[in-house]
mmCIF file of all heavy atoms in Angstrom:
data_model
loop_
_atom_site.group_PDB
_atom_site.id
_atom_site.type_symbol
_atom_site.label_atom_id
_atom_site.label_comp_id
_atom_site.label_asym_id
_atom_site.label_seq_id
_atom_site.Cartn_x
_atom_site.Cartn_y
_atom_site.Cartn_z
ATOM 1 N N THR A 229 -59.144 12.462 -155.714
ATOM 2 C CA THR A 229 -58.427 11.352 -155.079
ATOM 3 C C THR A 229 -58.402 11.522 -153.593
ATOM 4 O O THR A 229 -58.442 12.652 -153.083
ATOM 5 C CB THR A 229 -56.970 11.269 -155.637
ATOM 6 O OG1 THR A 229 -56.277 10.237 -154.968
ATOM 7 C CG2 THR A 229 -56.212 12.558 -155.428
ATOM 8 N N LYS A 230 -58.381 10.375 -152.872
ATOM 9 C CA LYS A 230 -58.451 10.482 -151.405
ATOM 10 C C LYS A 230 -57.187 11.138 -150.881
ATOM 11 O O LYS A 230 -57.269 11.975 -149.975
ATOM 12 C CB LYS A 230 -58.536 9.066 -150.814
ATOM 13 C CG LYS A 230 -59.912 8.413 -151.064
ATOM 14 C CD LYS A 230 -59.923 7.013 -150.486
ATOM 15 C CE LYS A 230 -61.254 6.304 -150.795
ATOM 16 N NZ LYS A 230 -61.244 4.913 -150.319
ATOM 17 N N GLY A 231 -56.035 10.809 -151.422
ATOM 18 C CA GLY A 231 -54.776 11.451 -150.997
ATOM 19 C C GLY A 231 -54.645 12.731 -151.782
ATOM 20 O O GLY A 231 -55.510 13.203 -152.464
ATOM 21 N N LYS A 232 -53.402 13.271 -151.725
ATOM 22 C CA LYS A 232 -53.172 14.539 -152.430
ATOM 23 C C LYS A 232 -52.694 14.243 -153.849
ATOM 24 O O LYS A 232 -51.991 13.273 -154.059
ATOM 25 C CB LYS A 232 -52.214 15.457 -151.680
ATOM 26 C CG LYS A 232 -50.806 14.938 -151.641
ATOM 27 C CD LYS A 232 -49.882 15.979 -151.053
ATOM 28 C CE LYS A 232 -48.426 15.514 -151.079
ATOM 29 N NZ LYS A 232 -47.472 16.525 -150.655
ATOM 30 N N ALA A 233 -53.060 15.088 -154.800
ATOM 31 C CA ALA A 233 -52.565 15.033 -156.161
ATOM 32 C C ALA A 233 -51.292 15.842 -156.212
ATOM 33 O O ALA A 233 -51.114 16.783 -155.456
ATOM 34 C CB ALA A 233 -53.592 15.508 -157.155
ATOM 35 N N ILE A 234 -50.389 15.426 -157.083
ATOM 36 C CA ILE A 234 -49.077 16.130 -157.146
ATOM 37 C C ILE A 234 -48.883 16.748 -158.502
ATOM 38 O O ILE A 234 -49.445 16.315 -159.523
ATOM 39 C CB ILE A 234 -47.874 15.238 -156.815
ATOM 40 C CG1 ILE A 234 -47.789 14.079 -157.795
ATOM 41 C CG2 ILE A 234 -48.018 14.711 -155.397
ATOM 42 C CD1 ILE A 234 -46.458 13.371 -157.784
ATOM 43 N N ASP A 235 -48.086 17.810 -158.584
ATOM 44 C CA ASP A 235 -47.701 18.469 -159.830
ATOM 45 C C ASP A 235 -46.395 17.935 -160.301
ATOM 46 O O ASP A 235 -45.367 18.224 -159.694
ATOM 47 C CB ASP A 235 -47.669 19.956 -159.656
ATOM 48 C CG ASP A 235 -49.015 20.585 -159.338
ATOM 49 O OD1 ASP A 235 -49.949 20.273 -160.070
ATOM 50 O OD2 ASP A 235 -49.145 21.356 -158.308
ATOM 51 N N LEU A 236 -46.377 17.127 -161.357
ATOM 52 C CA LEU A 236 -45.133 16.578 -161.863
ATOM 53 C C LEU A 236 -44.516 17.601 -162.819
ATOM 54 O O LEU A 236 -45.210 18.038 -163.751
ATOM 55 C CB LEU A 236 -45.400 15.255 -162.625
ATOM 56 C CG LEU A 236 -45.844 14.074 -161.729
ATOM 57 C CD1 LEU A 236 -46.229 12.904 -162.663
ATOM 58 C CD2 LEU A 236 -44.730 13.677 -160.810
ATOM 59 N N ASP A 237 -43.278 17.934 -162.631
ATOM 60 C CA ASP A 237 -42.574 18.803 -163.567
ATOM 61 C C ASP A 237 -41.129 18.363 -163.672
ATOM 62 O O ASP A 237 -40.641 17.531 -162.921
ATOM 63 C CB ASP A 237 -42.703 20.282 -163.192
ATOM 64 C CG ASP A 237 -42.429 20.546 -161.711
ATOM 65 O OD1 ASP A 237 -41.380 20.104 -161.259
ATOM 66 O OD2 ASP A 237 -43.255 21.189 -161.116
ATOM 67 N N ASP A 238 -40.480 18.913 -164.679
ATOM 68 C CA ASP A 238 -39.080 18.503 -165.028
ATOM 69 C C ASP A 238 -38.970 16.991 -165.191
ATOM 70 O O ASP A 238 -38.068 16.342 -164.622
ATOM 71 C CB ASP A 238 -38.111 19.004 -163.894
ATOM 72 C CG ASP A 238 -36.710 19.116 -164.372
ATOM 73 O OD1 ASP A 238 -36.477 18.931 -165.582
ATOM 74 O OD2 ASP A 238 -35.821 19.427 -163.559
ATOM 75 N N ILE A 239 -39.891 16.430 -165.949
ATOM 76 C CA ILE A 239 -39.935 14.965 -166.149
ATOM 77 C C ILE A 239 -39.035 14.548 -167.283
ATOM 78 O O ILE A 239 -38.984 15.193 -168.337
ATOM 79 C CB ILE A 239 -41.383 14.535 -166.433
ATOM 80 C CG1 ILE A 239 -42.354 14.935 -165.291
ATOM 81 C CG2 ILE A 239 -41.475 13.012 -166.649
ATOM 82 C CD1 ILE A 239 -43.788 14.729 -165.623
ATOM 83 N N LYS A 240 -38.357 13.444 -167.108
ATOM 84 C CA LYS A 240 -37.536 12.840 -168.163
ATOM 85 C C LYS A 240 -37.910 11.354 -168.236
ATOM 86 O O LYS A 240 -37.892 10.643 -167.221
ATOM 87 C CB LYS A 240 -36.047 12.999 -167.819
ATOM 88 C CG LYS A 240 -35.127 12.314 -168.901
ATOM 89 C CD LYS A 240 -33.694 12.416 -168.433
ATOM 90 C CE LYS A 240 -32.827 11.499 -169.254
ATOM 91 N NZ LYS A 240 -31.478 11.374 -168.646
ATOM 92 N N PHE A 241 -38.303 10.899 -169.437
ATOM 93 C CA PHE A 241 -38.759 9.512 -169.645
ATOM 94 C C PHE A 241 -37.717 8.687 -170.332
ATOM 95 O O PHE A 241 -36.905 9.238 -171.084
ATOM 96 C CB PHE A 241 -40.027 9.470 -170.485
ATOM 97 C CG PHE A 241 -41.264 9.906 -169.757
ATOM 98 C CD1 PHE A 241 -42.000 11.050 -170.173
ATOM 99 C CD2 PHE A 241 -41.781 9.171 -168.709
ATOM 100 C CE1 PHE A 241 -43.138 11.414 -169.503
ATOM 101 C CE2 PHE A 241 -42.929 9.593 -168.053
ATOM 102 C CZ PHE A 241 -43.606 10.694 -168.424
ATOM 103 N N HIS A 242 -37.780 7.357 -170.090
ATOM 104 C CA HIS A 242 -37.003 6.430 -170.919
ATOM 105 C C HIS A 242 -37.560 6.438 -172.318
ATOM 106 O O HIS A 242 -38.750 6.795 -172.558
ATOM 107 C CB HIS A 242 -37.136 5.003 -170.322
ATOM 108 C CG HIS A 242 -36.265 3.967 -170.972
ATOM 109 N ND1 HIS A 242 -36.664 3.271 -172.103
ATOM 110 C CD2 HIS A 242 -35.020 3.493 -170.670
ATOM 111 C CE1 HIS A 242 -35.707 2.415 -172.450
ATOM 112 N NE2 HIS A 242 -34.691 2.551 -171.636
ATOM 113 N N GLN A 243 -36.732 6.102 -173.313
ATOM 114 C CA GLN A 243 -37.199 6.190 -174.718
ATOM 115 C C GLN A 243 -38.394 5.312 -175.016
ATOM 116 O O GLN A 243 -39.072 5.507 -176.060
ATOM 117 C CB GLN A 243 -36.068 5.854 -175.663
ATOM 118 C CG GLN A 243 -35.493 4.463 -175.498
ATOM 119 C CD GLN A 243 -34.470 4.133 -176.576
ATOM 120 O OE1 GLN A 243 -34.568 4.543 -177.697
ATOM 121 N NE2 GLN A 243 -33.522 3.329 -176.194
ATOM 122 N N CYS A 244 -38.658 4.293 -174.201
ATOM 123 C CA CYS A 244 -39.769 3.370 -174.473
ATOM 124 C C CYS A 244 -41.148 4.035 -174.260
ATOM 125 O O CYS A 244 -42.148 3.508 -174.781
ATOM 126 C CB CYS A 244 -39.657 2.097 -173.648
ATOM 127 S SG CYS A 244 -39.878 2.385 -171.851
ATOM 128 N N VAL A 245 -41.239 5.121 -173.522
ATOM 129 C CA VAL A 245 -42.537 5.775 -173.244
ATOM 130 C C VAL A 245 -43.051 6.507 -174.524
ATOM 131 O O VAL A 245 -42.279 7.256 -175.134
ATOM 132 C CB VAL A 245 -42.409 6.743 -172.030
ATOM 133 C CG1 VAL A 245 -43.738 7.464 -171.837
ATOM 134 C CG2 VAL A 245 -42.072 5.969 -170.822
ATOM 135 N N ARG A 246 -44.322 6.338 -174.798
ATOM 136 C CA ARG A 246 -44.911 7.035 -175.927
ATOM 137 C C ARG A 246 -45.227 8.493 -175.540
ATOM 138 O O ARG A 246 -46.208 8.757 -174.857
ATOM 139 C CB ARG A 246 -46.190 6.304 -176.376
ATOM 140 C CG ARG A 246 -45.893 4.941 -176.909
ATOM 141 C CD ARG A 246 -47.237 4.292 -177.441
ATOM 142 N NE ARG A 246 -46.959 3.009 -178.040
ATOM 143 C CZ ARG A 246 -46.951 1.846 -177.366
ATOM 144 N NH1 ARG A 246 -47.228 1.854 -176.066
ATOM 145 N NH2 ARG A 246 -46.665 0.719 -177.963
ATOM 146 N N LEU A 247 -44.350 9.382 -175.967
ATOM 147 C CA LEU A 247 -44.447 10.792 -175.515
ATOM 148 C C LEU A 247 -45.701 11.466 -176.035
ATOM 149 O O LEU A 247 -46.324 12.272 -175.314
ATOM 150 C CB LEU A 247 -43.195 11.565 -175.916
ATOM 151 C CG LEU A 247 -41.873 11.138 -175.272
ATOM 152 C CD1 LEU A 247 -40.729 12.003 -175.798
ATOM 153 C CD2 LEU A 247 -41.977 11.272 -173.776
ATOM 154 N N ALA A 248 -46.071 11.155 -177.288
ATOM 155 C CA ALA A 248 -47.274 11.797 -177.867
ATOM 156 C C ALA A 248 -48.523 11.453 -177.004
ATOM 157 O O ALA A 248 -49.407 12.291 -176.778
ATOM 158 C CB ALA A 248 -47.478 11.356 -179.294
ATOM 159 N N ARG A 249 -48.546 10.219 -176.569
ATOM 160 C CA ARG A 249 -49.709 9.754 -175.767
ATOM 161 C C ARG A 249 -49.717 10.476 -174.421
ATOM 162 O O ARG A 249 -50.775 10.927 -173.937
ATOM 163 C CB ARG A 249 -49.584 8.247 -175.528
ATOM 164 C CG ARG A 249 -50.708 7.552 -174.813
ATOM 165 C CD ARG A 249 -51.728 7.126 -175.777
ATOM 166 N NE ARG A 249 -52.890 6.519 -175.053
ATOM 167 C CZ ARG A 249 -52.998 5.220 -174.725
ATOM 168 N NH1 ARG A 249 -52.084 4.378 -175.111
ATOM 169 N NH2 ARG A 249 -54.039 4.789 -174.056
ATOM 170 N N PHE A 250 -48.537 10.647 -173.822
ATOM 171 C CA PHE A 250 -48.477 11.366 -172.529
ATOM 172 C C PHE A 250 -48.876 12.840 -172.710
ATOM 173 O O PHE A 250 -49.601 13.368 -171.844
ATOM 174 C CB PHE A 250 -47.049 11.256 -171.993
ATOM 175 C CG PHE A 250 -46.868 11.961 -170.645
ATOM 176 C CD1 PHE A 250 -47.342 11.382 -169.481
ATOM 177 C CD2 PHE A 250 -46.236 13.181 -170.575
ATOM 178 C CE1 PHE A 250 -47.194 11.995 -168.250
ATOM 179 C CE2 PHE A 250 -46.085 13.841 -169.318
ATOM 180 C CZ PHE A 250 -46.574 13.255 -168.157
ATOM 181 N N GLU A 251 -48.427 13.456 -173.766
ATOM 182 C CA GLU A 251 -48.763 14.861 -173.961
ATOM 183 C C GLU A 251 -50.255 15.064 -174.204
ATOM 184 O O GLU A 251 -50.876 16.087 -173.832
ATOM 185 C CB GLU A 251 -47.932 15.451 -175.131
ATOM 186 C CG GLU A 251 -46.476 15.690 -174.767
ATOM 187 C CD GLU A 251 -45.592 15.951 -175.932
ATOM 188 O OE1 GLU A 251 -46.143 16.098 -177.067
ATOM 189 O OE2 GLU A 251 -44.372 15.999 -175.753
ATOM 190 N N ASN A 252 -50.883 14.071 -174.857
ATOM 191 C CA ASN A 252 -52.297 14.177 -175.184
ATOM 192 C C ASN A 252 -53.186 13.989 -173.930
ATOM 193 O O ASN A 252 -54.076 14.760 -173.609
ATOM 194 C CB ASN A 252 -52.719 13.202 -176.229
ATOM 195 C CG ASN A 252 -52.234 13.613 -177.598
ATOM 196 O OD1 ASN A 252 -51.962 14.778 -177.847
ATOM 197 N ND2 ASN A 252 -52.071 12.664 -178.511
ATOM 198 N N ASP A 253 -52.957 12.838 -173.247
ATOM 199 C CA ASP A 253 -53.895 12.510 -172.152
ATOM 200 C C ASP A 253 -53.186 12.102 -170.842
ATOM 201 O O ASP A 253 -53.760 11.528 -169.957
ATOM 202 C CB ASP A 253 -54.871 11.387 -172.522
ATOM 203 C CG ASP A 253 -54.205 10.133 -173.022
ATOM 204 O OD1 ASP A 253 -52.943 10.028 -172.759
ATOM 205 O OD2 ASP A 253 -54.847 9.248 -173.569
ATOM 206 N N ARG A 254 -51.840 12.408 -170.718
ATOM 207 C CA ARG A 254 -51.025 12.163 -169.525
ATOM 208 C C ARG A 254 -51.032 10.662 -169.168
ATOM 209 O O ARG A 254 -50.731 10.294 -168.036
ATOM 210 C CB ARG A 254 -51.586 12.952 -168.365
ATOM 211 C CG ARG A 254 -51.659 14.471 -168.550
ATOM 212 C CD ARG A 254 -50.326 15.131 -168.580
ATOM 213 N NE ARG A 254 -49.732 15.301 -167.240
ATOM 214 C CZ ARG A 254 -48.706 16.105 -167.002
ATOM 215 N NH1 ARG A 254 -48.153 16.752 -168.006
ATOM 216 N NH2 ARG A 254 -48.219 16.219 -165.788
ATOM 217 N N THR A 255 -51.224 9.795 -170.156
ATOM 218 C CA THR A 255 -51.118 8.352 -169.891
ATOM 219 C C THR A 255 -49.682 7.904 -170.162
ATOM 220 O O THR A 255 -49.106 8.201 -171.200
ATOM 221 C CB THR A 255 -52.046 7.559 -170.865
ATOM 222 O OG1 THR A 255 -53.363 7.996 -170.634
ATOM 223 C CG2 THR A 255 -51.955 6.060 -170.590
#
Side-chain angles (χ1 to χ4, degrees):
T229 178
K230 290 179 183 176
K232 68 171 183 174
I234 63 163
D235 294 309
L236 292 173
D237 45 54
D238 202 5
I239 300 171
K240 178 186 165 190
F241 286 116
H242 187 274
Q243 62 174 325
C244 67
V245 176
R246 294 185 177 90
L247 293 179
R249 185 90 185 267
F250 180 77
E251 286 167 9
N252 286 338
D253 58 13
R254 304 289 282 193
T255 301

